[in-house]
Amino acid sequence: MADCWNTDTGEAVFRSRDAVNNLRIKVRIERVTSTAALSLHLQQQVLSQQGGAIELETLTSRGQTGDNEEEQVVGWQEKLFSQYEMELFQSEAACQTPLDRQYHAEIKALNKGKGRRNNRIFTYTDHDRYTNCLPFQQIATDLLTTTKSSPTFLAERMASVRHRRQERHAAESTTHKSKIIIWEPTEEFVKNSHVVNNSMQTMHIMGDLSPPGRLGQKESECLLVTIKTDGNGTVIIKPDFNKGKEPYRIVSQGERREVWRLFLENMSTAMKPEEKEKEQNIYKDLYARHKEYLNSLVGQDFEMPPAGILRYVMNGEIVSAKGFEYDNLYIHFFMELPNNWSSLPFQCLSGVTQTCRTKTLGKENVAFFSFPFSFEAFFMCEKESEESIPQWPVLYFKVLSLDSWQRYRTEGYGYLLFPSMPGKHTITCHTWRPLQTGTVSSLRRFFIGGSPELEDHSYTRIPGTFKGERLSRFGFCTETTGSVTFNLHCIQQARSFVDAAMLKKRRQKVFDQLGGFSQQGAVCTILEAFKRAQRKMQEARESLPRDLINATSQLHIESST
């Protein structure tokens, strides 16, 4: 009969806030090969023929049954001695380390008492000299010259440590011999040059798959379960618990190649409801105390700007640029502060992005910059009775391209008016560039680079030097180019926002002047809605049949006459 096996032998990672000492795992192994199967089959036949009068003592004795299956509940770092260790540490002369002498004392106590409770299942704790089978073979292959040699104690310990990567330079080979040993190493030298012990604690649950009556053979030891944990509540178990699935398949080494079943089950005691509630209350109290501690570090005094001053903070990002003629784009930008605005002395008001190559998305060539910038400014209202709406800072930018011959070209100019409302804003600004008519300017732009530039970047909007009533750009030739997208996160802070009474009494004077274009924005919204309605009526009128329009006009004429 064919058996179904669980082939998922990967490791499982668990996280728990409980102590790892409370971990309990039930391990069960069963032999499923010819000896046990033949024993059970013959016993059933003989019992059916003789009515249970004959017992096959040679095949199904108690010792044989214990050899065919075993079940143990193992705790974290619980030491269960194997038959090999029982025979090894019985003699005090074989003990070389303090751990060996401790095991010798424990084995003597077991022999005086009821003996060990396990037979085939035993454990190797984190302190034992044990290395996993694969690293063991790899170490033996890499470090030793003969295949029959066994690794030394140092080789076994080096399997559980990790080396930091060190960049070897040619200059290190010329180091003077007197500096090979550093008697007073610095912390940086220790961090970069020494091996670091692995912080994981490991425990191995093993199985002695030796033939019946010959337990204690070192070559018949087989790894069943590996358990690792760190000090942060992470527990790694390989393989995972069966959880109702098929057992794992284990094949013993040697000539007989016997097959065993492996069952794993989590036997850790579940917390009682009252204990769980108590633990949650403790964690809540701990988090509350930690929050109070953090609040004590911050303090109760919140930094506020002086009275009559608006603090404006903007964290922005130049997201992308698209629709430009050439590749390898970069953006040069700077901020302009109107009257009554100021910034900190160390505040940088300009910047340059990195050079970015474009990527084809659909029909557009898009360059993704993701360039962050921050800006902080202060607005001070000189006269509270002033009815004029304050001007907001402006970000002027210039898009340029650079080719492999270091030729740069101006791709477009644009500006961004800082949002008057706080919050997140995504704004796309369209650009244009000055254009010289004629073929010579186009050839010059293509072959040697360069293009007409603006002496004053504020000419893209309203120049700061302009004092007239009307600005005429008649005769100035331009060409529409691409667009640049910005992500802006704006914060506004003022004492007037905190005082509710002042907000009610002086909403027009304080909030509108310091907070933004609330009335102007509402008027613009109404005008835009009115224009959209007129546009829709015009489109509906154009979509009507001409006969219906003529009939309607004739009806209107007759009614008027």
Side-chain angles (χ1 to χ4, degrees), residues 325-342:
E325 183 179 2
Y326 287 91
D327 199 355
N328 297 323
L329 303 176
Y330 67 97
I331 298 177
H332 179 214
F333 62 93
F334 69 93
M335 289 81 166
E336 182 185 55
L337 298 179
N339 295 331
N340 301 330
W341 285 86
S342 62

Side-chain angles (χ1 to χ4, degrees), residues 383-436:
K383 298 180 181 180
E384 294 186 0
S385 61
E386 188 177 359
E387 298 296 335
S388 62
I389 299 176
Q391 296 182 359
W392 292 88
V394 183
L395 184 145
Y396 295 99
F397 61 90
K398 174 183 178 182
V399 183
L400 301 102
S401 62
L402 185 68
D403 61 10
S404 58
W405 295 92
Q406 299 300 313
R407 298 174 299 188
Y408 75 92
R409 302 172 179 87
T410 301
E411 300 294 335
Y413 290 91
Y415 73 94
L416 170 67
L417 187 65
F418 281 20
S420 60
M421 299 299 295
K424 179 183 178 181
H425 305 271
T426 300
I427 302 175
T428 300
C429 300
H430 297 277
T431 61
W432 54 266
R433 66 178 180 87
L435 180 64
Q436 280 184 338

Side-chain angles (χ1 to χ4, degrees), residues 462-475:
I462 300 177
T465 57
F466 178 72
K467 302 299 182 181
E469 296 181 357
R470 295 177 181 86
L471 176 63
S472 175
R473 291 191 175 95
F474 181 76

Side-chain angles (χ1 to χ4, degrees), residues 10-30:
E11 61 185 19
V13 181
F14 301 89
R15 290 175 176 83
S16 174
R17 293 188 294 187
D18 197 6
V20 70
N21 295 330
N22 298 329
L23 179 64
R24 297 290 183 274
I25 299 178
K26 182 167 72 174
V27 183
R28 178 181 177 83
I29 56 175
E30 296 178 358

Side-chain angles (χ1 to χ4, degrees), residues 302-312 376-379 492-498:
F302 191 76
E303 181 183 356
M304 293 290 294
I309 293 180
L310 171 69
R311 183 182 184 184
Y312 190 97
E376 181 177 1
F378 300 89
F379 173 75
Q492 297 179 10
Q493 183 186 17
R495 289 184 180 270
S496 303
F497 298 158
V498 180

Side-chain angles (χ1 to χ4, degrees), residues 117-342:
R117 61 182 176 90
N118 59 307
N119 187 27
R120 289 184 177 272
I121 298 176
F122 62 97
T123 61
Y124 283 132
T125 63
D126 189 60
H127 304 288
D128 290 329
R129 293 176 55 185
Y130 174 76
T131 308
N132 198 358
C133 300
L134 294 179
F136 181 92
Q137 296 175 0
Q138 185 176 1
I139 292 172
T141 304
D142 297 340
L143 301 180
L144 304 177
T145 55
T146 60
T147 56
K148 295 184 180 180
S149 302
S150 59
T152 61
F153 177 75
L154 178 60
E156 293 179 359
R157 280 304 181 190
M158 289 300 293
S160 61
V161 300
R162 57 184 176 88
H163 295 271
R164 295 189 181 273
R165 296 181 60 184
Q166 301 179 17
E167 298 180 357
R168 300 293 183 181
H169 302 281
E172 295 183 2
S173 60
T174 60
T175 305
H176 196 267
K177 292 184 178 180
S178 61
K179 295 184 179 181
I180 293 179
I181 300 177
I182 299 179
W183 299 104
E184 296 181 358
T186 61
E187 294 183 1
E188 187 69 21
F189 177 81
V190 172
K191 186 184 299 183
N192 295 332
S193 303
H194 287 66
V195 295
V196 180
N197 287 322
N198 198 344
S199 59
M200 302 287 289
Q201 290 185 343
T202 309
M203 177 182 178
H204 304 280
I205 302 179
M206 310 292 295
D208 189 350
L209 306 184
S210 302
R214 290 186 290 175
L215 296 181
Q217 298 180 4
K218 192 70 175 177
E219 60 274 8
S220 298
E221 294 181 358
C222 180
L223 176 64
L224 303 179
V225 187
T226 300
I227 309 170
K228 298 180 180 180
T229 182
D230 58 4
N232 300 323
T234 302
V235 181
I236 303 175
I237 299 178
K238 182 179 180 180
D240 192 7
F241 301 113
N242 291 97
K243 299 176 183 178
K245 299 180 182 179
E246 294 80 6
Y248 296 103
R249 183 174 183 266
I250 300 177
V251 181
S252 62
Q253 301 296 326
E255 298 178 355
R256 304 185 65 173
R257 305 282 296 180
E258 295 182 332
V259 180
W260 295 72
R261 293 193 188 100
L262 172 62
F263 299 87
L264 299 177
E265 184 179 352
N266 183 14
M267 297 298 294
S268 303
T269 305
M271 295 182 63
K272 297 180 180 180
E274 54 272 14
E275 294 179 352
K276 190 174 182 180
E277 183 179 1
K278 183 179 179 180
E279 184 182 18
Q280 291 178 353
N281 294 334
I282 292 175
Y283 277 110
K284 288 181 180 179
D285 183 56
L286 178 62
Y287 294 151
R289 292 176 181 271
H290 185 64
K291 184 178 180 181
E292 292 177 359
Y293 171 71
L294 294 179
N295 291 335
S296 65
L297 295 179
V298 175
Q300 300 294 331
D301 298 333
F302 191 76
E303 181 183 356
M304 293 290 294
I309 293 180
L310 171 69
R311 183 182 184 184
Y312 190 97
V313 179
M314 183 177 70
N315 295 319
E317 176 191 8
I318 302 178
V319 181
S320 61
K322 66 178 182 179
F324 293 97
E325 183 179 2
Y326 287 91
D327 199 355
N328 297 323
L329 303 176
Y330 67 97
I331 298 177
H332 179 214
F333 62 93
F334 69 93
M335 289 81 166
E336 182 185 55
L337 298 179
N339 295 331
N340 301 330
W341 285 86
S342 62

